[in-house]
Amino acid sequence: MKNKIDEIRELFETDLAAAGDAEQVEALRIKYLGRNGLVTGLTRGIKDIDPADRPAFGKMINVLNKTVKTAIQEKQNGQAGGKSVDSIDLTLPGRKPRVGGLHPLSQIREEIKQIFGRMGFAIVDGPEIETDYLNFEALNIPKLHPARDMQDTLYISEELVLRTHTSPVQIRTMQNRKPPIRVIAPGRVYRRDTPDASHSPFFHQIEGLCVDENISLGDLKAILAAFTREMFGEGTRIRFRPSYFPFTEPSAEMDMWWESSKGGRWLELCGCGMVHPKVLENVGIDPDKYSGWAFGAGIDRIAMLKFGIDDLRLFFENDIRFLEQF
Ligand code: PHE
């Protein structure tokens, strides 16, 4: 065994002296220290030695291993050294780390939260996997009610759905807090839609809810008018159109006048209305004493208008070239 160790050391010295360039030194490293290298082979052979002799030989092999490693490293450094020190170009610009930013939808969501925050609204949320009861029934949409057709739903089971709107957060809030209530609930919602420029199987809504004594449609109108002006500018025009939702009565659709190069038109911005007395009853709030309003607006819609984006899918493709423009 001792002979073998000496033999390999001598062979290595000859080889090392002969290795001229980086490639040859690398071949040398593999020959001695690689997976099937000569020194590696010695280490593996230890287990075949008489246990009494193992410590002594182990030590010798370790010394050889270290010698070979250091010699190769020194030779490699020597080869690279002279070259690399000279080749640092101090005039090159530094490498800039990439800095991330908020997704455009998050930016708009934060802006909306701030506007409503200034008007005294708290922020609440709820789960995206929701019970059929909270997504529909508590909102006055019983099973088999035709209004269910308004929202093509992704069911997880008989009793669980991917929430089709943020309105179930209305119910969750009213179950847990008593009036006065003034909250907004931003979040992701899901519908069975095929993606195109204006549809996606998931998108984002923001729910607003206000319940107190003597709350009227006038309050809803004032708050939404203030919101649109803050979001889109002082002169923004809005209008309310009668509509239908099972959980509000009366119900309305709020539109905003939108000027573009192709001329102006009314754009639907959110559904809204006075919280239906049945809904208040469902959560144990006395509809004779309290009244409230609610709205649900599309965050993606607002972001598309604000940023002048004509294809909803761009938000979800995660193309850095798109995202870094915001
Ligand atoms: N949840 C309704 C929708 O998604 C919008 C809405 C919210 C309407 C609150 C009225 C009140 O279409």
Side-chain angles (χ1 to χ4, degrees):
M1 189 67 184
K2 172 135 186 3
N3 280 347
K4 207 163 164 201
I5 295 175
D6 286 340
E7 225 171 76
I8 293 180
R9 177 180 298 114
E10 272 162 32
L11 184 62
F12 174 68
E13 272 156 17
T14 328
D15 278 352
L16 185 69
D21 59 18
E23 222 169 283
Q24 284 168 357
V25 177
E26 174 61 10
L28 204 61
R29 194 188 61 76
I30 293 167
K31 178 171 172 187
Y32 289 88
L33 302 174
R35 196 145 35 93
N36 298 314
L38 294 171
V39 179
T40 319
L42 284 177
T43 312
R44 275 203 205 113
I46 291 184
K47 62 178 191 312
D48 305 323
I49 302 174
D50 183 346
D53 296 334
R54 273 182 209 169
F57 280 114
K59 220 181 214 161
M60 285 162 76
I61 294 168
N62 273 344
V63 170
L64 175 63
N65 189 30
K66 226 176 244 154
T67 314
V68 171
K69 225 182 233 162
T70 327
I72 289 179
Q73 239 158 38
E74 272 168 11
K75 189 128 186 174
Q76 279 172 335
N77 287 346
Q79 283 170 340
K83 209 162 49 183
S84 72
V85 169
D86 288 343
S87 64
I88 294 177
D89 183 350
L90 297 172
T91 65
L92 283 176
R95 291 205 184 97
K96 231 191 191 146
R98 285 178 88 101
V99 182
L102 279 187
H103 189 281
L105 290 179
S106 304
Q107 289 178 29
I108 294 294
R109 185 193 59 223
E110 291 311 305
E111 199 175 333
I112 300 174
K113 273 158 69 172
Q114 281 187 3
I115 295 173
F116 280 100
R118 288 197 289 273
M119 297 195 279
F121 285 73
I123 292 148
V124 290
D125 66 6
E128 292 173 21
I129 297 176
E130 191 52 283
T131 60
D132 182 276
Y133 176 76
L134 292 172
N135 195 80
F136 293 121
E137 289 193 50
L139 288 163
N140 207 22
I141 317 176
K143 289 205 158 74
L144 304 179
H145 190 285
R148 288 214 179 189
D149 293 346
M150 289 165 79
Q151 303 179 348
D152 220 345
T153 309
L154 293 158
Y155 282 86
I156 290 182
S157 68
E158 279 280 308
E159 287 309 319
L160 288 179
V161 302
L162 291 181
R163 68 177 179 189
T164 54
H165 50 182
T166 42
S167 299
V169 188
Q170 284 187 39
I171 307 295
R172 288 177 174 274
T173 305
M174 290 189 284
Q175 283 175 338
N176 295 321
R177 306 186 185 198
K178 291 305 147 206
I181 293 172
R182 221 186 281 164
V183 295
I184 52 164
R188 188 172 270 207
V189 301
Y190 300 82
R191 296 199 195 165
R192 236 198 70 200
D193 265 326
T194 308
D196 64 27
S198 57
H199 293 88
S200 161
F202 58 87
F203 53 101
H204 301 83
Q205 283 190 337
I206 188 150
E207 195 81 7
L209 174 71
C210 173
V211 185
D212 201 352
E213 289 177 43
N214 300 316
I215 295 292
S216 75
L217 195 65
D219 298 309
L220 169 65
K221 205 172 164 186
I223 293 283
L224 283 180
F227 164 69
T228 3
R229 278 200 300 269
E230 288 247 4
M231 197 74 201
F232 294 101
E234 246 343 282
T236 310
R237 287 166 64 204
I238 56 169
R239 73 172 183 193
F240 285 73
R241 236 175 340 110
S243 183
Y244 171 76
F245 299 102
F247 38 95
T248 46
E249 179 58 34
S251 303
E253 213 79 62
M254 190 193 78
D255 300 335
M256 178 176 77
W257 182 254
W258 190 253
E259 300 271 1
S260 73
S261 52
K262 289 174 230 143
R265 62 189 174 114
W266 288 104
L267 286 180
E268 194 181 301
L269 215 58
C270 72
C272 56
M274 299 305 290
V275 180
H276 198 292
K278 263 300 272 292
V279 174
L280 292 176
E281 269 169 26
N282 286 345
V283 293
I285 292 178
D286 180 2
D288 290 329
K289 183 159 182 220
Y290 295 104
S291 54
W293 55 251
F295 73 83
I299 296 181
D300 319 69
R301 189 47 164 329
I302 294 174
M304 285 170 82
L305 289 173
K306 273 279 274 210
F307 292 129
I309 291 159
D310 57 6
D311 193 327
L312 176 61
R313 290 167 294 192
L314 287 166
F315 285 135
F316 310 126
E317 283 168 354
N318 284 334
D319 185 333
I320 295 281
R321 291 167 302 176
F322 170 74
L323 294 175
E324 67 190 357
Q325 295 175 48
F326 301 96

